[in-house]
Amino acid sequence: MPPILEAIHVQKYFGAFQALNDVSLAVSRGEVVCVIGPSGSGKSTLLRCISQLESIDGGVITIDGEIAGFRLRGDSLSPLTDSQIARQRQHVGMVFQRFNLFPHRSVMQNLLEGPVRIQRRPVEDCRREALALLTRVGLAEKADAYPNELSGGQQQRVAIARALAMHPKILLFDEPTSALDPELVGEVLSVMKELALSGMTMVVVTHEIAFCREVADRVVFMDAGAIIAAGTPDDMIVHPQNPRVANFISAVL
């Protein structure tokens, strides 16, 4: 089957700074890809481009065969409208470092916002599904709580449930444990492992090397805006052949 996600020769600039340099990556349906590398290497920028929170300056990104942000007309690409881009974004769930929950809405209201207001699905159907998702992440009893009443780990699990409520084809995680106290990291990684086992397609930017080794189908290493190595967890973490990757893994561990 064709890849569900493909980035082809993607370029991204912020002024004169090149954040992504000729990045190509294909992700198969049901695959878990962990992206590692030093801070500032372009990992988060790549996720933001895939989710169309940032526009790209060269190359192309496709999601399930659709060109992200553009429509092919003859031999040329024409930009999509904002509403068309919003429709495409529904296929890509994004879990951020800082949770990004609506602070003035309850947990249940956070989960209902997208399915009801954007996808216009029946409220009661969405409510039943939201409760099932909260049960899945171990937070059914927190449906009426507000974000400031939750720990960081609980907020991140709500954020994962909120992303799942939109029925995404792929989930992106941008260092989902980096803002958590060490004792809360495990509860979030446990939910992510369950998602991986269920067959969810995931691209995870993380420094959790043990998680990569246990869960990833493939590990990608980025440096200076480029992908410089990729392979199985064994190839990349246990027996890295690339000296830059070996130095990074040694420092992190």
Side-chain angles (χ1 to χ4, degrees):
M1 295 180 68
I4 192 168
L5 164 66
E6 193 166 18
I8 306 169
H9 302 303
V10 171
Q11 312 276 350
K12 175 63 183 177
Y13 289 86
F14 294 104
F17 173 71
Q18 186 169 18
L20 296 177
N21 180 10
D22 195 31
V23 171
S24 293
L25 175 68
V27 179
S28 299
R29 202 175 302 269
E31 188 178 19
V32 178
V33 175
C34 284
V35 184
I36 63 174
S39 298
S41 59
K43 306 182 302 296
S44 295
T45 299
L46 176 59
L47 293 195
R48 292 180 66 82
C49 288
I50 293 170
S51 62
Q52 298 191 68
L53 295 174
E54 297 283 355
S55 59
I56 61 176
D57 298 310
V60 66
I61 294 172
T62 64
I63 304 292
D64 204 12
E66 281 193 28
I67 301 173
F70 295 89
R71 175 177 294 156
L72 186 63
R73 294 184 183 274
D75 295 329
S76 61
L77 293 174
S78 59
L80 297 181
T81 64
D82 289 345
S83 62
Q84 290 170 327
I85 289 175
R87 179 189 61 79
Q88 283 190 338
R89 280 183 179 146
Q90 295 178 38
H91 300 313
V92 180
M94 183 85 166
V95 179
F96 300 88
Q97 296 180 33
R98 294 286 177 178
F99 327 132
N100 285 18
L101 299 176
F102 297 115
H104 59 293
R105 298 185 185 274
S106 69
V107 166
M108 177 60 72
Q109 290 169 336
N110 266 276
L111 265 67
L112 294 178
E113 182 77 12
V116 173
R117 293 193 59 186
I118 298 175
Q119 295 180 333
R120 302 196 179 281
R121 288 154 49 197
V123 175
E124 286 310 311
D125 289 351
C126 294
R127 190 180 301 276
R128 283 193 293 272
E129 186 175 305
L131 187 57
L133 287 170
L134 288 174
T135 300
R136 185 177 182 181
V137 301
L139 292 172
E141 76 284 359
K142 299 294 186 180
D144 296 323
Y146 283 80
N148 65 359
E149 299 173 319
L150 305 178
S151 69
Q154 290 172 330
Q155 289 186 62
Q156 194 62 292
R157 284 186 280 156
V158 171
I160 293 171
R162 182 180 64 175
L164 291 170
M166 296 292 285
H167 295 175
K169 296 179 179 180
I170 183 170
L171 266 184
L172 309 178
F173 293 83
D174 187 9
E175 299 194 28
T177 61
S178 65
L180 301 179
D181 292 333
E183 65 268 23
L184 302 178
V185 169
E187 64 189 56
V188 173
L189 294 182
S190 178
V191 171
M192 293 171 64
K193 290 175 186 177
E194 188 274 326
L195 289 175
L197 289 172
S198 74
M200 173 62 69
T201 307
M202 298 162 57
V203 179
V204 184
V205 168
T206 184
H207 289 296
E208 300 289 345
I209 300 301
F211 173 84
C212 296
R213 184 177 178 184
E214 181 181 353
V215 177
D217 297 299
R218 191 154 42 105
V219 177
V220 171
F221 185 88
M222 292 188 68
D223 195 15
I227 293 175
I228 67 169
T232 66
D234 191 65
D235 292 337
M236 296 290 290
I237 297 171
V238 183
H239 304 293
Q241 300 301 306
N242 184 294
R244 180 68 183 93
V245 177
N247 288 339
F248 177 83
I249 295 298
S250 177
V252 171
L253 296 180

